[in-house]
Amino acid sequence: MAKIFFVLGKSCSGKDTIFHYLKNNKELKLKTVVGYTTRPMREGEKEGEEYFFVTPHRLHELREAGKVIECRDYNTVHGVWSYFTVDDEQIDLENGNYLYIGTLESYRDMVKYYGRDVVIPLYIQVETGERLYRAIQRERSQKSPRYAEMCRRFLADEEDFNEENIMRAGITRRFENNVLEDCIAEIVETIKEV
């Protein structure tokens, strides 16, 4: 049976960089699943690549149609932003393995929907101080830095990804992203083994 390799971790753990590497690794032949969000597009993002950017009204329509697999709503300093996965026929488990990126909450919901034997966690972690440094550097590089939102997200991740929640989700293996190349090599080996 095909697998969905699910990349997750706290903000600024390097999960986006790792996701993009795995996505572009031709040897792994992983198909990607694009999530949906109601948040504004960031500089450098493209519609249908990082996310499908939709309005809250469109999210409501998809919910009403029973198409939302999982949804996370965040009360940000800019209003409520939703991140969600839609049963839109992007995933066909009869035809290959997939790569997805999300949160601990979305991972649990995907496991409920597809099963623990299908959804394989790739949990990325980084020491807290290093993660904070990376968060500040990333925000500084934005045209209009949103430091308050960065701080909210950083603190929320500390709570969301506490040890109890990680263990409750059944995640036992972790990938330390101290040296990006080493972390990627370990993940690639894990994917090949599965």
Side-chain angles (χ1 to χ4, degrees), residues 98-144:
Y98 290 82
L99 183 66
Y100 193 80
I101 188 169
T103 66
L104 188 58
E105 181 182 356
S106 62
Y107 166 75
R108 286 190 304 254
D109 289 342
M110 291 286 275
V111 166
K112 283 180 195 170
Y113 194 83
Y114 290 105
R116 190 169 299 282
D117 57 328
V118 171
V119 184
I120 309 300
L122 302 173
Y123 180 68
I124 315 300
Q125 67 181 26
V126 172
E127 185 271 326
T128 303
E130 176 63 22
R131 197 168 69 80
L132 180 58
Y133 174 77
R134 292 178 185 182
I136 292 168
Q137 292 300 100
R138 180 172 79 180
E139 210 51 46
R140 275 189 182 143
S141 72
Q142 297 296 313
K143 189 173 185 177
S144 301

Side-chain angles (χ1 to χ4, degrees), residues 11-12 16 39-43 45 77-78 81 83 130-154:
S11 58
C12 294
D16 290 319
R39 79 154 166 77
M41 191 181 298
R42 290 182 185 147
E43 190 174 326
E45 290 181 325
V77 295
H78 303 285
W81 290 348
Y83 294 81
E130 176 63 22
R131 197 168 69 80
L132 180 58
Y133 174 77
R134 292 178 185 182
I136 292 168
Q137 292 300 100
R138 180 172 79 180
E139 210 51 46
R140 275 189 182 143
S141 72
Q142 297 296 313
K143 189 173 185 177
S144 301
R146 298 175 174 171
Y147 293 109
E149 174 56 21
M150 180 211 73
C151 291
R152 183 211 60 81
R153 187 172 177 196
F154 185 89

Side-chain angles (χ1 to χ4, degrees), residues 7-19 101 124 153:
V7 178
L8 70 159
K10 297 175 183 175
S11 58
C12 294
S13 61
K15 65 185 180 295
D16 290 319
T17 301
I18 291 168
F19 175 84
I101 188 169
I124 315 300
R153 187 172 177 196

